[in-house]
Amino acid sequence: MADRKATLQIDGQSIELPVLSPAAGKDVVDVRTLGKHGYFTFDPGFLATGSCESAITYIDGENGVLLHRGYPIGELATKADYLEVCYMLLHGEAPTEEQYQEFKSTITKHTMVHQGIHNFFNGFRRDAHPMAMLCAVTGALSSFYHDDLDIHDENQRLRSAYRLIAKIPTIAAMAYKFSIGQPFVYPRNDLGYAENFLNMMFSVPAEDYEISPAVARAMDRIFTLHADHEQNASTSTVRLAGSSGANPYACIAAGVASLWGPAHGGANEACLRMLAEIGSVENIPKYIEKAKDKNDPFRLMGFGHRVYKNTDPRATVMRESCHEVLKELNRDDPLLDVAMELERIALEDDYFIEKKLFPNVDFYSGIVLKAIGIPTNMFTVIFALSRTVGWVSHWHEMMGEANQKIGRPRQLYTGYTQREFSPIKK
Ligand code: CMC
């Protein structure tokens, strides 16, 4: 297929561009040589631009397919646990029992953070957003773990990846504990990844905390469903930061920052705030009208997706979990009624059907997180925690490329052309 060409006619010039075929998905026109002919491509928002090669995750948005290393997300979410998914994202293959046990033990043994990081938190205001704390403390990890920062050494890269996957839950829980004025809870090596996180979040030294297996399962599933998502804004940010040779902790901090926005990982928090604003089932029609009104900036948060135009396969699994958890916990919360009714109305509304806007994973994960008692401002932190493995896997893949280049987009300049400068005194 390498000899297929696309021909571009510009100003009498005929430019031949190779057409490349991926393992799955749409063919791509390789425009790398266009610059030599005096042109660049223009594609703000990367609507039709591939930025890299990757063998980690495949998405077919039109058909609602999401595969990690070839495995469908629905199977992974129901038949594997999060650490198995982490292993395959990072290493390329599902682990054998022995590899899994070794990986689990390595991650478990890296969950504690340097004691100096505890002091770090005292510099924050109590009302600091936990994403601000996560972003800062993740970046600061490079000042504590600089023994493994040779990014060209595969083993050192993997050690940094393990540290990140292991320590992010600890930092996330510390951010929460700091904000509510409770003592930090140290990680426990006898607990699984999700259980340990719940324990660090909710236990206190004064009494025992019982971890509900249903809640732990739902948490693990939320981690799995958010583990990776191909070249989204935050992963692309991590790749771009990493392309300059920055250390992995700095790159992941950049990913955390990029994820924070409401159009991306901030959607689950924004969704819950929206449900609170709607307040009751009777108000839903008014908000549906606001969402359809072109002159109103209001959008239904947790609805729509850039790549999924049919169904979000993560949402299908999360929806099941959502109903399971609500039933199991028997939670009586008016916001959950609003959410269920909003889902029903929007799925039947012509505007949402025509524009292919349906609840995405964050609509349901927000509801589950609320039901299991996670405060709203921690939702995006939990997304970041889950996505850390995706970010480090992409970073590791990119750093292992033979001819890795710094990411440096071009632009369509719209400012002044050259003009003469007059000193202010004139
Ligand atoms: N509510 C109402 N209208 C919407 C919504 C919404 N949530 N999303 C898109 N639209 C309309 C939009 O007004 C536009 O209408 P028109 O064609 O008449 O101008 C059309 O649908 C296409 O929207 P777009 O903004 O051009 O689509 P996009 O692919 O650039 O944006 C999106 C995708 C996810 C940013 C957007 O759907 C959105 O803002 N959704 C709410 C935020 C959200 O839930 N984000 C989480 C995504 S899932 C987590 C993740 O993977 O990051």
Side-chain angles (χ1 to χ4, degrees):
M1 293 290 241
D3 53 352
R4 285 174 62 217
K5 301 259 189 259
T7 309
L8 195 64
Q9 302 287 349
I10 314 180
D11 299 335
Q13 258 197 92
S14 177
I15 303 170
E16 290 214 319
L17 299 168
V19 177
L20 310 176
S21 293
K26 293 191 167 76
D27 287 350
V28 298
V29 180
D30 179 350
V31 295
R32 280 175 290 186
T33 55
L34 210 49
K36 281 200 256 168
H37 299 276
Y39 298 96
F40 297 122
T41 54
F42 178 59
D43 183 18
F46 298 104
L47 296 176
T49 297
S51 57
C52 61
E53 283 184 30
S54 181
I56 300 174
T57 290
Y58 171 68
I59 300 176
D60 173 351
E62 276 140 44
N63 295 307
V65 173
L66 168 60
L67 310 176
H68 292 321
R69 301 291 188 185
Y71 302 108
I73 189 67
E75 284 188 33
L76 295 178
T78 50
K79 296 183 189 155
D81 73 14
Y82 177 67
L83 284 185
E84 268 176 277
V85 175
C86 288
Y87 183 96
M88 71 180 70
L89 285 171
L90 203 50
H91 292 282
E93 293 294 338
T96 60
E97 176 63 24
E98 201 186 331
Q99 287 165 332
Y100 172 74
Q101 292 305 340
E102 196 188 326
F103 181 68
K104 192 171 170 185
S105 152
T106 306
I107 297 298
T108 305
K109 285 180 188 142
H110 276 101
T111 46
M112 278 205 339
V113 292
H114 190 286
Q115 199 63 19
I117 291 174
H118 290 232
N119 304 334
F120 219 90
F121 277 90
N122 290 324
F124 293 110
R125 284 169 51 131
R126 285 274 170 208
D127 59 356
H129 195 288
M131 277 298 276
M133 295 191 246
L134 185 71
C135 193
V137 177
T138 304
L141 289 178
S142 55
S143 64
F144 291 91
Y145 303 105
H146 39 68
D147 50 333
D148 276 330
L149 288 184
D150 180 354
I151 55 175
H152 302 293
D153 175 334
E154 182 176 2
N155 289 327
Q156 294 199 32
R157 283 207 304 275
L158 281 173
R159 276 202 292 278
S160 297
Y162 297 154
R163 277 183 168 146
L164 276 155
I165 296 166
K167 292 183 199 310
I168 291 279
T170 313
I171 297 168
M174 287 170 88
Y176 173 59
K177 287 297 197 189
F178 178 79
S179 70
I180 57 167
Q182 287 187 0
F184 298 138
V185 174
Y186 283 90
R188 269 180 44 190
N189 288 3
D190 60 323
L191 297 176
Y193 193 84
E195 280 103 350
N196 178 48
F197 175 65
L198 288 166
N199 190 62
M200 290 189 294
M201 283 285 292
F202 296 122
S203 72
V204 286
E207 61 187 34
D208 285 341
Y209 166 70
E210 208 176 303
I211 305 162
S212 147
V215 169
R217 250 193 332 270
M219 197 76 248
D220 193 83
R221 197 173 269 193
I222 288 181
F223 292 162
T224 297
L225 291 175
H226 288 85
D228 189 43
H229 211 227
E230 206 227 57
Q231 310 310 323
N232 53 80
S234 55
T235 303
S236 301
T237 302
V238 170
R239 278 185 176 265
L240 201 54
S243 76
S244 71
N247 74 67
Y249 304 102
C251 296
I252 301 309
V256 174
S258 170
L259 186 80
W260 197 352
H264 190 12
N268 49 16
E269 179 176 343
C271 174
L272 251 282
R273 296 203 188 286
M274 175 196 74
L275 294 176
E277 189 187 325
I278 297 176
S280 71
V281 168
E282 306 83 70
N283 294 333
I284 293 176
K286 187 175 96 196
Y287 280 89
I288 296 265
E289 287 318 305
K290 272 166 76 63
K292 293 179 191 173
D293 182 355
K294 281 256 144 274
N295 300 316
D296 192 324
F298 178 79
R299 281 188 171 200
L300 277 193
M301 300 315 287
F303 282 75
H305 200 274
R306 167 62 65 81
V307 289
Y308 296 123
K309 299 299 175 196
N310 177 359
T311 177
D312 177 344
R314 303 167 301 170
T316 313
V317 189
M318 204 64 243
R319 185 176 192 276
E320 254 174 52
S321 255
C322 180
H323 289 284
E324 244 169 60
V325 168
L326 294 185
K327 197 162 156 225
E328 170 98 20
L329 296 179
N330 203 13
R331 280 282 141 86
D332 186 18
D333 183 335
L335 284 198
L336 303 177
D337 297 339
V338 175
M340 291 301 106
E341 183 61 5
L342 187 63
E343 176 203 39
R344 191 189 67 75
I345 297 181
L347 286 175
E348 290 172 359
D349 190 288
D350 286 346
Y351 172 92
F352 290 89
I353 294 170
E354 268 161 35
K355 294 201 181 298
K356 303 189 172 179
L357 301 168
F358 41 80
N360 56 50
V361 65
D362 286 331
F363 180 74
Y364 299 109
S365 64
I367 299 169
V368 175
L369 291 172
K370 169 137 178 66
I372 64 184
I374 306 275
T376 313
N377 65 359
M378 280 295 289
F379 287 9
T380 314
V381 169
I382 286 173
F383 191 159
L385 180 175
S386 324
R387 185 56 58 85
T388 296
V389 67
W391 292 331
V392 288
S393 301
H394 282 269
W395 169 79
H396 178 60
E397 179 183 61
M398 180 184 75
M399 297 316 296
E401 282 166 8
N403 195 15
Q404 184 257 319
K405 287 196 173 336
I406 186 167
R408 187 9 178 132
R410 298 290 177 157
Q411 63 168 9
L412 177 72
Y413 178 66
T414 58
Y416 291 107
T417 51
Q418 185 167 329
R419 54 184 173 151
E420 199 179 324
F421 175 71
S422 292
I424 204 159
K425 287 208 173 100
K426 275 198 189 171

